[in-house]
Amino acid sequence: MSLKPTTALRLVPLLLILALLAGCARAGDKPGQGGLPSPTASQPTPSPTPQPTSSPEPTHAYPLYTFGDPLEESAPVADDSFFDSAVFLGDSRTEGLQLFSGLKNGTFYWTRGMSVFRADSDEYRAFLVDGQQLTLVGALAQRQYEAVYVMIGINELGYSPQRYEQGLAELIDKILAVQPNAVVYLQTLPPVNDAVARANGLADYINNAQVDLFNQSIVRVAAQKRVVLLDTASVYRGPDGQLPAELASDGAHFVFSGYARWADYLRCHVMDPERYFYNRSLSPAGEEEST
């Protein structure tokens, strides 16, 4: 059937409109074009929030040690030959260590009545070394040691703790100067027995109240001079803070069998030289390390 010319003319615009609508629909189906995006279309990925990073913990070549704290217990030395290169400085208590403790190795420089004030005084040249009469510091300077043990203070109890502390600090400076390659150990003063000391006629100033004040000075000097602190006193301190009567001879010295405790303590409280010098390098001289 043929359409009339007028009818055909009316259909042309209608067909054009339908064609345009179909084209728009197909265009809208394409991702990124008009209409809704495709479900598979890529979306921008948000940047991750930066997380704060913690600074790495400092590493140390050797275990840290706070000067002024008592050295912790260590494995006992293999045998007493460890002390062959050690020197022990002191007074009549150090005499007892040499004679009665069982420790036979090492060098001992002691004299009865020795004090921090006499250690480098020309009036007290009590040590004969290679034909020379020398002071304690002078004798110490004659050879190099790997360890220096200091126990001095019982004869100074009649002085003020402040004066003792100053004298001790000066002595440690001199020891460090003549023994730069040695581990220096500063030992606390063992307690006395007040009652036994009075019974034996020892001076009133030889008492534990004064010993305690001097030990506080020893702790400060060990911290300031950066030397190892040994709490030797701990092996002689009874529950009441006194030297037990059964260990006391005259109240200030020990019975002969009591000196073995001292030697046993030294055998189990040793610092490696590498650790000692490493820790000394960490803080300037004269400054206490914070705990």
Side-chain angles (χ1 to χ4, degrees), residues 1 14 26 45 76 81 98 118 131 139 160 208 234 256:
M1 179 180 68
L14 180 59
R26 285 192 299 271
T45 303
S81 64
Q98 181 182 19
R118 294 177 173 180
S160 70
N208 279 314
S234 63
F256 295 163

Side-chain angles (χ1 to χ4, degrees), residues 36-191:
L36 295 176
S38 167
T40 60
S42 61
Q43 299 296 317
T45 303
S47 300
T49 303
Q51 297 297 318
T53 57
S54 58
S55 300
E57 290 294 327
T59 56
H60 299 279
Y62 300 96
L64 294 180
Y65 171 68
T66 301
F67 292 104
D69 284 354
L71 181 64
E72 72 278 2
E73 185 173 351
S74 59
V77 298
D79 57 67
D80 284 353
S81 64
F82 172 86
F83 297 103
D84 285 346
S85 58
V87 60
F88 301 88
L89 310 180
D91 46 44
S92 54
R93 281 175 161 178
T94 301
E95 175 188 11
L97 177 68
Q98 181 182 19
L99 297 180
F100 310 120
S101 71
L103 180 59
K104 301 302 182 183
N105 302 68
T107 301
F108 291 79
Y109 286 131
W110 56 264
T111 188
R112 296 176 186 179
M114 180 53 64
S115 72
V116 296
F117 310 114
R118 294 177 173 180
D120 201 28
S121 171
D122 284 337
E123 297 179 10
Y124 297 95
R125 292 179 173 267
F127 303 95
L128 182 62
V129 182
D130 296 333
Q132 303 180 76
Q133 287 294 139
L134 301 172
T135 66
L136 180 64
V137 173
L140 179 63
Q142 296 309 297
R143 57 165 285 195
Q144 293 298 296
Y145 298 92
E146 293 182 7
V148 178
Y149 292 87
V150 182
M151 169 73 84
I152 298 180
I154 191 70
N155 295 306
E156 295 91 313
L157 290 178
Y159 292 88
S160 70
Q162 293 78 16
R163 188 173 176 190
Y164 168 72
E165 184 170 334
Q166 180 181 356
L168 180 63
E170 292 172 358
L171 174 58
I172 295 300
D173 281 339
K174 293 174 182 178
I175 292 172
L176 291 170
V178 299
Q179 293 293 328
N181 300 315
V183 179
V184 177
Y185 297 91
L186 183 55
Q187 303 174 79
T188 55
L189 300 177

Side-chain angles (χ1 to χ4, degrees), residues 212-234:
D212 289 344
L213 291 174
F214 273 41
N215 278 337
Q216 292 174 29
S217 294
I218 289 172
V219 169
R220 285 191 292 269
V221 171
Q224 292 162 2
K225 302 303 178 181
R226 296 174 303 145
V227 297
V228 180
L229 179 68
L230 294 182
D231 191 17
T232 307
S234 63

